[in-house]
Amino acid sequence: CARRGRGHNSLDVVLTAMGAQTGKVIGYASRHKQCATCARAERTGKPTTSHDYRQIWSGSAKAMEPNIAVQLATEAKEDGAPFGVMIGDKDCTTIYHVRQEVDASVVH
């Protein structure tokens, strides 16, 4: 796996799990470094309105993608859906965590 020269500093990460046979979405999850509603209120100086406050990710931005992938693979496995192939951006960290925490036989 080649190492990229850029760091990960995204504020939001969203991943989707899709069925290989059907192409249908079987799961999705996201992680956020800040709440968009709270950030907008702070930026504009207006009070925060009542909203669906999303849990804020406190870890590193680089750890968000592997964490979501593990969650989706675990949920698929618990639901009895086979989770054997991951298609992604060749991020070695993500596939490593899925193999270590969910299923060592997952291929990338």
Side-chain angles (χ1 to χ4, degrees):
C1 193
R3 182 175 174 172
R4 288 183 265 170
R6 298 180 298 168
H8 292 265
N9 60 1
S10 299
L11 296 177
D12 304 289
V13 173
V14 178
L15 293 182
T16 306
M18 299 176 67
Q21 305 282 319
T22 65
K24 293 183 179 180
V25 174
I26 60 171
Y28 66 93
S30 61
R31 300 288 181 272
H32 310 278
K33 293 289 280 183
Q34 67 181 7
C35 174
T37 303
C38 293
R40 183 173 40 257
E42 184 178 317
R43 193 173 54 251
T44 62
K46 296 180 180 177
T48 305
T49 59
S50 177
H51 63 285
D52 182 15
Y53 183 78
R54 301 289 177 188
Q55 184 175 0
I56 302 303
W57 176 257
S58 60
S60 73
K62 185 171 175 62
M64 289 193 284
E65 184 177 322
N67 181 266
I68 298 172
V70 167
Q71 176 189 335
L72 293 176
T74 300
E75 289 172 357
K77 193 172 186 176
E78 289 172 352
D79 291 342
F83 194 93
V85 177
M86 282 182 55
I87 300 172
D89 62 359
K90 305 240 185 244
D91 182 350
C92 296
T93 305
T94 299
I95 191 68
Y96 171 81
H97 283 281
V98 170
R99 287 178 178 161
Q100 290 294 311
E101 298 177 39
V102 184
D103 187 345
S105 66
V106 172
V107 296
H108 190 240

